Amino acid sequence: MKRAKLESVLPLSRLRMIQFLMGILFLYLLFMSFEIPFVFKSDTGSVGFFADTLPKHVLLENEAEELYTASRPSKDTSASTYQTFSRAPERRMREFKRVSGLFFNESALDDSESNIDEFSVLHKIAKDAWSVGKKVWDELESAETISKTQIEPNKTKSESCPHSISLSGSDFVNRSHLMVLPCGLTLGSHVTVVGKPHWAHPEDDPKIASLKEGEEAVLVSQFMMELQGLKTVDGEDPPRILHFNPRLKGDWSGRPVIEMNTCYRMQWGSALRCEGWRSRADEETEAVVKKWIKLAFACVEYACIRLPDICAELCFINDVVLCAVDGKVKCEKWIRDDDEHSEESKAAWWLNRLIGRTKKVTVEWPYPFSEGNLFVLTIAAGLEGYHITVDGRHVTSFPYRTGFALEDATGLSVNGNVDLHFLFAASLPTSHPSFAPQKHLEMLTKWRAPPLPDGHVELFIGILSAGNHFAERMAVRKSWMQHKLITSSKVVARFFVALHGRKEVNLDLKKEAEYFGDIVIVPYMDAYDLVVLKTVAICEYGVRTVAANYIMKCDDDTFIRVDAVMKEARKVREDKNLYIGNMNYYHRPLRHGKWAVTYEEWPEEEYPPYANGPGYIVSSDIAQFIVADFEKHKLRLFKMEDVSMGMWVEKFNNSKPVEYVHSLKFCQFGCIEDYYTAHYQSPRQMVCMWDKLQNQGKPQCCNMR
């Protein structure tokens, strides 16, 4: 009996032992699935000096990607011209990624400098930008810096946002003809300038002063006063929020004129010219009059307070006034040398007096500026636009454009034929725009990015943006990023932003990235010549984090019809590599002027075929090739990112064929009918285009600024 009992116990103990071993095996597999061993993996030297700038959760991801990198499987496994990647099975870490996984290997650059002499200058600039970015990012990650900012916000605001600013003429010249308005303007702010125009002088510009034999020299006297916005990145002109240009000797019209305009993203709008005639109804277009008839009923019903955007465009016809700005005409009248005081008008005056008809007495003024005489000019910020007075008399009013807020006007520039004696700005905002309540009002959960999907993504859209472009990013979030393909995570879109020179902008950017989850910070100091690094970061994110079939690059002022872009990409067979956009063929670099490209920067006489930068698509194999060459420092960098992409695609095309697809519907300048993408769209236009696309189901442009 004892022996039988012992034999019955042994199988039970063996069963328990097997169960125990299976449990250990399960724990081991679970342990491996979370990639914990990679934490203890020794450094192989493949990650450069920039690795220590990333947060810990991003470092783990980069190290894991050395063995598990995400991408679409290669179409040709036999190709050896670029590295073949495989998709990582685990995605949880990537959902918290806020910093680009792109790294810049300093040691590899030093080793390869002898091989890239012809284009190593930009690489060295990039290395310096990464190095400075490392220090800036360390400060942002520092709890001490953040806590200090939170403890003393009022002190910071009071020190950096004065209520008024005054400068003498000599101080203004010493400051490069620029008065800095740290926190911009607000409703009721005004800037006063006291100056004296120069006497006219012969024009020395050969394009303007080209004369026929016997003609007298062209005399000119003009100056430009501009309210400018912050520079988006170094090397790029700041936006002209208001361009005010009095021409005392006239221009092609031959008579004194005042011209006003705006320049948004280096694109000038429609000029408003004041030529001495008071703004009249018959000077406006028929379309505006028809628009007034429709909008009048809307304003009566809802009142201006409820619909300020509609009422800002409403035209009030009073005597000869149309489309007034805060009740003021756009252009006042001044005495012209071609005014006709004919006998007919005198007879009419006597007839009116004879029959007892009263007439309103009007006083005519000369042109507000004269050579060698002092003037006092004031720009006041109203509800609907800027109002300009000279010597106490209203001269012109300019309605707001381009979607800029008043606080974006952070500088006053005056240049040209004028001597300034004094400048004074008052009623300025005392809080920094970073603390503006509008940003907090926009922090709604419905604008947050959806989580990354578990499977493959067909299209990834990388959006180039700048640190202080919060309004542009919000416009994108409220418009085409609400497309069902993006909200369902079938298409993924992310903003790519480099570090800004101002600490408060970077702090706000970091908070914005953490809240919305749609910003990837590329940690180098932003510069115009280094925008190309963001394009490489888009490729890296698209193939390693999202594993998309197609990668699209666009700007934050580009409106995209997501479904139309997808259909265009699907027209090309899946087994082919593609490059889609508005193509430029046989384009030559400019050798002179502001946008000149030197022979050291580009020795060839022609650029390779390239798609315009506002919107283009490449297949994932091309993106893999770009990232691999960049990390080996074999990728040639050029300051024009769209030309760089064309150069990289051409190099890839030497080993594997690429199908180039040209379409004008990837619009480079503005918006066209039935567009795929529309460029240079202000935040207001972006929302308007989305509303039209949703309500009318047709791709229509919004021409208002």
Side-chain angles (χ1 to χ4, degrees):
M1 293 295 294
K2 289 182 180 180
R3 184 174 181 180
K5 184 176 181 180
L6 182 61
E7 289 178 355
S8 65
V9 172
L10 285 175
L12 183 60
S13 61
R14 290 176 182 174
L15 181 60
R16 290 178 177 175
M17 180 63 68
I18 293 173
Q19 291 175 342
F20 176 76
L21 292 176
M22 290 181 64
I24 293 177
L25 180 61
F26 175 78
L27 292 176
Y28 177 77
L29 293 175
L30 184 64
F31 189 74
M32 290 293 292
S33 67
F34 283 100
E35 303 178 343
I36 293 180
F38 292 115
V39 179
F40 307 100
K41 182 174 66 69
S42 61
D43 186 13
T44 60
S46 61
V47 178
F49 76 94
F50 183 65
D52 59 352
T53 70
L54 303 179
K56 292 182 179 180
H57 61 269
V58 180
L59 288 177
L60 294 179
E61 181 178 0
N62 286 342
E63 293 169 354
E65 283 177 346
E66 291 181 359
L67 294 180
Y68 297 103
T69 51
S71 82
R72 183 179 63 165
S74 174
K75 303 184 186 79
D76 186 1
T77 56
S78 63
S80 59
T81 57
Y82 60 92
Q83 184 179 356
T84 302
F85 301 93
S86 60
R87 181 176 175 79
E90 182 62 44
R91 183 181 285 276
R92 290 184 181 179
M93 284 185 179
R94 296 192 177 92
E95 294 197 17
F96 300 95
K97 188 171 182 179
R98 296 291 177 268
V99 181
S100 172
L102 193 69
F103 62 87
F104 199 87
N105 193 336
E106 183 180 19
S107 60
L109 176 62
D110 296 336
D111 295 339
S112 60
E113 277 185 352
S114 59
N115 298 326
I116 58 172
D117 289 338
E118 69 276 13
F119 52 90
S120 61
V121 175
L122 198 57
H123 286 75
K124 293 176 181 177
I125 296 175
K127 184 183 75 171
D128 294 339
W130 283 112
S131 179
V132 177
K134 173 185 182 300
K135 297 177 182 178
V136 173
W137 183 255
D138 286 343
E139 292 179 2
L140 288 178
E141 290 290 275
S142 167
E144 180 180 355
T145 302
I146 297 176
S147 62
K148 183 178 179 180
T149 305
Q150 292 175 344
I151 293 173
E152 302 179 351
N154 293 327
K155 181 179 179 180
T156 303
K157 289 186 286 184
S158 62
E159 290 177 348
S160 61
C161 299
H163 182 267
S164 63
I165 301 173
S166 61
L167 288 177
S168 65
S170 57
D171 290 339
F172 183 76
V173 173
N174 293 334
R175 300 188 182 190
S176 301
H177 297 269
L178 183 68
M179 171 190 274
V180 177
L181 308 171
C183 302
L185 303 176
T186 188
L187 185 64
S189 297
H190 52 88
V191 181
T192 300
V193 176
V194 180
K196 180 188 295 184
H198 294 173
W199 288 94
H201 62 89
E203 177 58 60
D204 54 4
D205 188 337
K207 295 181 180 179
I208 300 176
S210 58
L211 301 174
K212 297 180 181 179
E213 186 176 353
E215 290 183 343
E216 296 181 358
V218 177
L219 297 179
V220 296
S221 178
Q222 64 170 338
F223 63 92
M224 287 72 66
M225 182 168 61
E226 296 178 337
L227 287 174
Q228 300 179 350
L230 285 174
K231 291 185 177 181
T232 51
V233 289
D234 292 338
E236 181 177 337
D237 286 347
R240 277 89 162 173
I241 299 173
L242 171 63
H243 172 82
F244 179 79
N245 178 206
R247 302 169 186 173
L248 281 67
K249 288 296 183 180
D251 48 15
W252 53 266
S253 66
R255 296 183 179 87
V257 66
I258 296 175
E259 184 169 295
M260 291 170 289
N261 207 339
T262 56
C263 184
Y264 181 73
R265 295 291 178 88
M266 295 178 285
Q267 294 295 307
W268 289 96
S270 300
L272 171 63
R273 290 173 60 89
C274 295
E275 300 180 285
W277 303 114
R278 184 177 173 89
S279 299
R280 300 187 315 184
D282 56 6
E283 292 177 350
E284 303 292 341
T285 62
E286 182 181 356
V288 174
V289 177
K290 291 181 178 178
K291 189 176 183 181
W292 168 78
I293 296 173
K294 296 179 181 178
L295 295 178
F297 293 101
C299 278
V300 171
E301 182 177 357
Y302 295 105
C304 291
I305 296 177
R306 296 182 61 183
L307 291 175
D309 289 340
I310 292 181
C311 288
E313 299 178 16
L314 181 62
C315 302
F316 295 93
I317 298 180
N318 181 16
D319 294 333
V320 291
V321 182
L322 182 69
C323 291
V325 182
D326 291 323
K328 300 179 182 293
V329 295
K330 292 181 180 178
C331 295
E332 295 283 1
K333 187 181 185 306
W334 60 72
I335 299 174
R336 292 169 53 101
D337 58 7
D338 59 347
D339 283 350
E340 296 183 359
H341 300 284
S342 62
E343 293 297 327
E344 181 181 358
S345 62
K346 293 180 181 178
W349 180 82
W350 281 106
L351 178 61
N352 290 332
R353 184 174 181 180
L354 181 63
I355 64 178
R357 180 182 297 174
T358 59
K359 183 179 180 180
K360 184 179 180 181
V361 178
T362 59
V363 179
E364 294 186 352
W365 299 83
Y367 184 72
F369 304 98
S370 59
E371 302 163 81
N373 291 325
L374 281 174
F375 66 83
V376 179
L377 183 151
T378 300
I379 301 177
L383 184 64
E384 299 174 356
Y386 296 103
H387 306 291
I388 299 174
T389 61
V390 179
D391 298 334
R393 173 179 173 262
H394 175 260
V395 174
T396 178
S397 293
F398 188 75
Y400 295 132
R401 289 185 184 177
T402 72
F404 279 107
L406 281 171
E407 61 261 23
D408 292 325
T410 52
L412 176 72
S413 171
V414 183
N415 291 285
N417 309 131
V418 64
D419 291 326
L420 296 184
H421 296 261
F422 187 73
L423 299 93
F424 179 70
S427 300
L428 302 176
T430 56
S431 62
H432 197 276
S434 301
F435 299 91
Q438 183 64 29
K439 283 192 176 183
H440 300 286
L441 295 176
E442 300 283 12
M443 296 291 188
L444 301 177
T445 56
K446 65 179 180 179
W447 308 129
R448 286 182 173 178
L452 293 177
D454 294 330
H456 283 266
V457 171
E458 188 167 3
L459 175 67
F460 171 67
I461 304 176
I463 311 163
L464 262 60
S465 188
N468 56 343
H469 281 195
F470 177 79
E472 284 83 351
R473 287 190 291 273
M474 283 309 307
V476 173
R477 292 181 183 119
K478 295 178 179 179
S479 58
W480 61 265
M481 277 183 69
Q482 294 302 309
H483 196 282
K484 60 183 179 182
L485 290 174
I486 296 180
T487 56
S488 62
S489 297
K490 294 180 180 178
V491 175
V492 175
R494 293 290 185 269
F495 297 98
F496 285 75
V497 188
L499 295 174
H500 198 273
R502 291 167 51 193
K503 183 186 299 183
E504 61 269 19
V505 173
N506 291 328
L507 287 172
D508 283 351
L509 178 65
K510 187 170 181 289
K511 295 175 183 177
E512 182 185 349
E514 291 171 351
Y515 184 84
F516 291 105
D518 57 8
I519 294 178
V520 178
I521 299 175
V522 189
Y524 72 91
M525 295 307 296
D526 211 348
Y528 183 75
D529 290 350
L530 297 179
V531 174
V532 64
L533 295 179
K534 297 181 188 176
T535 303
V536 180
I538 289 174
C539 293
E540 187 273 340
Y541 196 95
V543 297
R544 292 186 175 175
T545 301
V546 181
N549 294 343
Y550 309 108
I551 290 88
M552 181 176 184
K553 176 264 169 184
C554 71
D555 298 334
D556 61 8
D557 60 348
T558 300
F559 187 92
I560 299 177
R561 287 176 57 205
V562 181
D563 52 347
V565 167
M566 289 280 291
K567 290 179 181 178
E568 190 70 11
R570 289 169 179 168
K571 292 179 182 178
V572 181
R573 282 170 35 189
E574 289 188 3
D575 59 342
K576 289 188 175 183
N577 297 292
L578 58 83
Y579 183 27
I580 303 177
N582 192 339
M583 295 292 174
N584 293 281
Y585 296 96
Y586 309 108
H587 188 237
R588 293 177 175 271
L590 299 175
R591 299 301 185 185
H592 304 283
K594 182 178 180 180
W595 307 109
V597 175
T598 65
Y599 281 98
E600 289 76 15
E601 294 173 323
W602 190 269
E604 294 87 354
E605 291 298 329
E606 290 182 351
Y607 291 132
Y610 70 94
N612 287 322
Y616 58 78
I617 309 171
V618 296
S619 53
S620 63
D621 287 347
I622 297 175
Q624 294 171 21
F625 166 79
I626 292 170
V627 176
D629 264 18
F630 176 82
E631 292 178 343
K632 297 173 184 176
H633 284 282
K634 294 181 179 180
L635 191 70
R636 181 177 178 182
L637 299 180
F638 183 56
K639 63 182 180 181
M640 298 169 63
E641 69 87 19
D642 48 2
V643 175
S644 294
M645 179 57 71
M647 176 175 56
W648 302 333
V649 174
E650 184 181 54
K651 183 179 178 182
F652 180 88
N653 191 37
N654 293 332
S655 58
K656 296 189 67 178
V658 176
E659 183 165 342
Y660 288 72
V661 180
H662 169 64
S663 176
L664 292 174
K665 292 184 179 181
F666 289 87
C667 190
Q668 163 73 355
F669 299 106
C671 176
I672 61 174
E673 185 179 356
D674 197 28
Y675 61 86
Y676 292 158
T677 65
H679 193 213
Y680 295 128
Q681 302 302 299
S682 69
R684 184 180 173 191
Q685 286 175 303
M686 300 278 272
V687 176
C688 171
M689 293 174 72
W690 176 248
D691 290 341
K692 287 188 175 183
L693 200 60
Q694 292 296 102
N695 299 330
Q696 302 178 19
K698 297 180 180 179
Q700 295 182 337
C701 302
C702 294
N703 294 321
M704 85 291 187
R705 278 292 188 179

